[in-house]
Amino acid sequence: MTVELGHFALVLATCLALVQSIVPLAGSLRGNARMMEVGNSTSIGIFALLGLSFAALTMAYVNSDFSVLNVVQNSHSDKPMLYKITGVWGNHEGSMLLWVLILGLFSALVTLFGRDLPASLKANVLAVQAWIILSFLAFILLTSNPFERIFPAPMQGQDLNPILQDIGLAIHPPLLYLGYVGFSVAFSFAVAALIDGRIDASWARWVRPWTLVAWLFLTAGISMGSYWAYYELGWGGWWFWDPVENASFMPWLSGTALLHSALVMEKRSALKIWTLLLAILTFSLSLLGTFLVRSGVLTSVHSFAVDPERGVFILAILFVFIGGSLALFAFRASELESGGLFAPISREGALVFNNLFLTTATATVLIGTLYPLVLEVLTDTKISVGPPFFNLTFGPLMVPLLFAVPFGPLLAWKRGDLLAAAQRLYFAAGSAMAVIIIALAVMHGTRLLAAFGFGLSVWLMVGSLVDLYYRSGLPRVSPSVAWRRFVGLPRSAFGTALAHFGVGVTLLGIVSTSALETETVRLMEPGSVVEVGGNQLRFERMEARQGPNFTAETGIFTLLRDGRSPQTIESSRRLYTARQMPTTEAGIYTHIFSQTYVSLGDAQSNGGSMVVRIWYKPLITLIWIGTIFMSLGGVVSLADRRLRVGAPSRRAALKVAPKESAA
């Protein structure tokens, strides 16, 4: 009965979404306040019904209800409870239900936090959100019903894909979807503004918090997914330029550009048309990622390679929303004011420079991801575009952008002084040069690019703090006065510094790992010793272990370190009995920011030796620590009182109104 209740809730949510997609928009066009108010109640109702539906599917998993086809295909009675729950979204149907639940959540949040929005704009935003919800609910009900029954019900399920039975997959998809779907709000604001034919700085103030929320969740989601692939797949890499990884990276790049562009629009009423276009393109890239993952056109460890008919349905959704929004943009853009003017050397100019390189980098990743697919369709020729292409195209685009990042906050709005900003960055430049010289000396001048990368990362980290230093009044005022000024700075200033500092930390981890990591592949038997990262790794023994739904062969290693206590590292090969699928569980020992990484290969015919891959990865954890700084920067920026969700207060608006009418 619970399953039928969940299915019925989906149908009711679809009916409400249909109402919300029509009535508030009609009310906005007619100026009918009561019709516009309908969107408020329906958005809450849709979210409640979607929550009920998702809870019903979760209960089916928890109770191992094998009369539900989705549960049969993705669960097992012996599976740990945590993975029974995460199995809800570890498959195509369940993950789409989670996707649309988060859509409903953001629509409800617009209702709750958008009380000060103009009624017409809010009604249009909720209507556009309902269009998106309605399309995906139709997709679920017509092609991907998670509540489909099976008769007769089997006694046991087929279990979840073993590589998805990990804590990382409990966290990664929800974070990623919060990022993907969060950009739908910016998209809805953009389409709503185009419908109204009006856009101003207040629009950017309303959009920027939603964009920031989506961006920080997407940052965390990509980071979590990267670390999961790093330790779970046993390949020793943290980023593979996999097409599905690129599918999440593209909206992140575009969303970063949108954040900076919206800032220019809010502060200077400039870049209005460009900001609208970015809001449309960012969510369009999120939709494209959904298509790539679920259409069956890609074969990837990250993808749901499913029935191509579902891909055709999603392709139709893409055509309607991407094509429709771009057509509306082309129709309305000429009627919108372009915004204020500014000098090339200014903070606005620096942010335009940022946008130029970020969007070019997005286009590069998009071309590298789609070109093999288009070529195969047109010529039936299969090619692979891998890391060499992306490293040679994406990397050079990032260098000038990263070099320019510390200059932006130091330049004045409208017209800045580049020389004065450069003088304030003398210490950052000196620190970077010192690091480059030290790195060249340590590496005997053999790795010039690596030394430059170290210097660039230090330039970013130190440069990100310079703005806070000078805005505190240092060195002109006393430390006590400087401290009072420092704690009184806007939270967005700290958020910006944290995010930029995090980029430098991540870059330091990338450069260190790429340039200095060592890899050893050895045939080892108990008692064998290998040199790794200046230490010794000894293979002790193999042990057979039994898990709740798998068997494992575990290799026990001891890391011997000069003058310090030895550390045990365990790496295993698991066999999940229901699916008869093997997985590799890497053994990782973290020492400060570096890691020793051990992955078991195949056993040899003599039965006493194993192929073992060993990596020493200096400073690799900085890659993910940097993303934590970036996400924290977003959280701190959201705490800025000037960046609260919503419009200026009604009281302020009433004070201005008489002056405008008198004019």
Side-chain angles (χ1 to χ4, degrees):
M1 184 63 183
T2 303
V3 173
E4 280 67 33
L5 180 62
H7 189 200
F8 186 57
L10 272 186
V11 175
L12 286 181
T14 305
C15 296
L16 281 183
L18 181 61
V19 172
Q20 184 177 321
S21 65
I22 297 172
V23 177
L25 178 63
S28 173
L29 295 176
R30 296 180 180 182
N32 188 317
R34 299 188 68 176
M35 293 178 70
M36 287 189 282
E37 285 290 331
V38 168
N40 296 328
S41 55
T42 53
S43 64
I44 302 297
I46 289 170
F47 175 61
L49 288 169
L50 291 174
L52 176 62
S53 182
F54 190 81
L57 183 60
T58 303
M59 287 303 299
Y61 270 84
V62 169
N63 297 327
S64 295
D65 184 355
F66 296 126
S67 68
V68 180
L69 179 60
N70 187 258
V71 179
V72 172
Q73 294 174 337
N74 300 283
S75 193
H76 192 279
S77 57
D78 291 336
K79 192 168 63 171
M81 181 56 69
L82 173 63
Y83 302 136
K84 285 184 179 181
I85 295 172
T86 60
V88 175
W89 57 80
N91 60 89
H92 167 73
E93 292 82 2
S95 66
M96 287 309 304
L97 184 56
L98 176 61
W99 171 282
V100 80
L101 173 65
I102 295 174
L103 268 172
L105 169 64
F106 274 100
S107 182
L109 289 177
V110 170
T111 295
L112 296 175
F113 290 99
R115 290 187 291 270
D116 293 321
L117 286 170
S120 176
L121 177 63
K122 184 178 181 180
N124 290 340
V125 169
L126 291 176
V128 177
Q129 284 289 111
W131 298 347
I132 304 170
I133 294 172
L134 182 63
S135 63
F136 279 99
L137 281 174
F139 173 72
I140 291 172
L141 291 172
L142 296 178
T143 72
S144 308
N145 183 6
F147 298 104
E148 183 179 345
R149 292 282 195 177
I150 183 173
F151 184 82
M155 294 296 294
Q156 192 55 268
Q158 300 171 11
D159 206 0
L160 181 66
N161 187 336
I163 66 172
L164 303 182
Q165 295 187 41
D166 183 83
I167 186 63
L169 264 293
I171 304 170
H172 166 57
L175 289 176
L176 204 63
Y177 292 172
L178 284 165
Y180 274 152
V181 176
F183 286 124
S184 69
V185 180
F187 173 86
S188 297
F189 268 95
V191 174
L194 289 170
I195 292 172
D196 278 344
R198 297 191 301 273
I199 185 171
D200 54 21
S202 295
W203 180 90
R205 181 178 298 179
W206 294 318
V207 167
R208 202 152 71 89
W210 297 106
T211 304
L212 189 55
V213 167
W215 179 88
L216 73 89
F217 276 120
L218 188 57
T219 301
I222 292 173
S223 175
M224 185 70 250
S226 168
Y227 193 66
W228 164 79
Y230 166 72
Y231 72 77
E232 176 65 22
L233 300 181
W235 298 345
W238 58 275
W239 191 263
F240 302 96
W241 290 110
D242 179 281
V244 180
E245 289 176 330
N246 295 348
S248 63
F249 192 42
M250 288 185 290
W252 185 87
L253 290 169
S254 180
T256 304
L258 173 60
L259 268 180
H260 293 84
S261 178
L263 177 62
V264 176
M265 183 176 169
E266 179 186 347
K267 299 295 185 181
R268 301 295 305 163
S269 294
L271 303 183
K272 292 180 180 179
I273 297 175
W274 174 244
T275 305
L276 273 178
L277 181 59
L278 274 179
I280 292 172
L281 292 179
T282 300
F283 184 60
S284 297
L285 289 170
S286 296
L287 292 177
L288 178 63
T290 305
F291 169 72
L292 291 175
V293 172
R294 301 169 193 282
S295 62
V297 301
L298 293 178
T299 301
S300 165
V301 70
H302 304 81
S303 65
F304 299 100
V306 295
D307 186 351
E309 291 183 3
R310 294 171 175 174
V312 173
F313 199 113
I314 296 179
L315 192 61
I317 294 175
L318 260 69
F319 178 79
V320 170
F321 285 101
I322 299 177
S325 59
L326 290 177
L328 180 61
F329 175 81
F331 178 73
R332 285 286 203 179
S334 60
E335 303 174 14
L336 301 175
E337 295 181 2
S338 58
L341 300 177
F342 52 86
I345 304 299
S346 62
R347 189 173 299 188
E348 298 96 323
L351 294 172
V352 169
F353 183 86
N354 160 292
N355 270 225
L356 174 65
F357 279 89
L358 282 174
T359 51
T360 304
T362 305
T364 299
V365 178
L366 179 65
I367 292 170
T369 303
L370 296 184
Y371 176 71
L373 305 177
V374 175
L375 186 66
E376 183 176 355
V377 170
L378 297 179
T379 67
D380 202 29
T381 302
K382 291 187 176 182
I383 66 168
S384 176
V385 176
F389 168 81
F390 292 105
N391 292 338
L392 289 173
T393 55
F394 182 84
L397 284 170
M398 289 294 100
V399 171
L401 172 61
L402 296 177
F403 178 77
V405 164
F407 283 94
L410 299 176
L411 293 171
W413 294 102
K414 198 170 183 179
R415 183 179 298 276
D417 188 338
L418 185 61
L419 179 60
Q423 289 173 341
R424 291 184 170 188
L425 289 168
Y426 278 167
F427 181 73
S431 301
M433 288 301 300
V435 168
I436 291 174
I437 293 170
I438 293 171
L440 287 173
V442 171
M443 296 183 292
H444 306 290
T446 58
R447 297 179 178 177
L448 182 60
L449 288 179
F452 176 77
F454 287 127
L456 184 59
S457 62
V458 171
W459 162 259
L460 272 169
M461 288 188 287
V462 178
S464 66
L465 304 177
V466 169
D467 181 52
L468 298 179
Y469 176 81
Y470 282 104
R471 291 179 70 172
S472 300
L474 293 170
R476 300 185 308 275
V477 301
S478 66
S480 59
V481 174
W483 173 251
R484 288 196 296 273
R485 290 187 180 182
F486 179 80
V487 297
L489 289 175
R491 296 294 175 262
S492 60
F494 292 105
T496 299
L498 271 173
H500 291 173
F501 185 85
V503 174
V505 172
T506 294
L507 179 62
L508 181 58
I510 292 172
V511 174
S512 300
T513 303
S514 302
L516 303 178
E517 81 169 8
T518 60
E519 179 183 359
T520 304
V521 181
R522 290 287 177 86
L523 189 62
M524 299 183 71
E525 58 186 18
S528 300
V529 177
V530 173
E531 187 79 17
V532 52
N535 301 311
Q536 290 184 321
L537 184 73
R538 186 173 64 211
F539 183 19
E540 301 290 353
R541 63 189 180 278
M542 293 293 298
E543 290 184 359
R545 295 181 180 178
Q546 180 68 49
N549 58 340
F550 62 85
T551 59
E553 294 179 319
T554 302
I556 310 298
F557 299 82
T558 300
L559 187 65
L560 306 171
R561 306 178 299 161
D562 292 338
R564 288 172 289 179
S565 59
Q567 295 292 330
T568 300
I569 301 177
E570 296 185 0
S571 178
S572 62
R573 299 172 66 222
R574 293 179 179 177
L575 179 66
Y576 284 77
T577 52
R579 291 203 177 200
Q580 289 296 299
M581 274 186 68
T583 66
T584 300
E585 302 295 319
I588 301 174
Y589 171 66
T590 302
H591 28 109
I592 310 180
F593 299 120
S594 303
Q595 290 184 334
T596 299
Y597 185 109
V598 181
S599 178
L600 290 182
D602 296 327
Q604 299 304 293
S605 57
N606 60 20
S609 57
M610 301 282 297
V611 174
V612 182
R613 300 184 70 182
I614 307 158
W615 287 268
Y616 176 67
K617 298 176 175 292
L619 304 184
I620 189 169
T621 59
L622 293 182
I623 294 173
W624 300 290
I625 292 173
T627 63
I628 294 174
F629 276 113
M630 294 182 219
S631 300
L632 284 176
V635 173
V636 172
S637 292
L638 281 173
D640 194 317
R641 63 180 182 273
R642 301 174 304 171
L643 203 62
R644 289 186 182 135
V645 178
S649 67
R650 289 189 179 95
R651 183 178 297 176
L654 290 173
K655 290 180 180 178
V656 174
K659 185 183 291 186
E660 292 177 344
S661 60

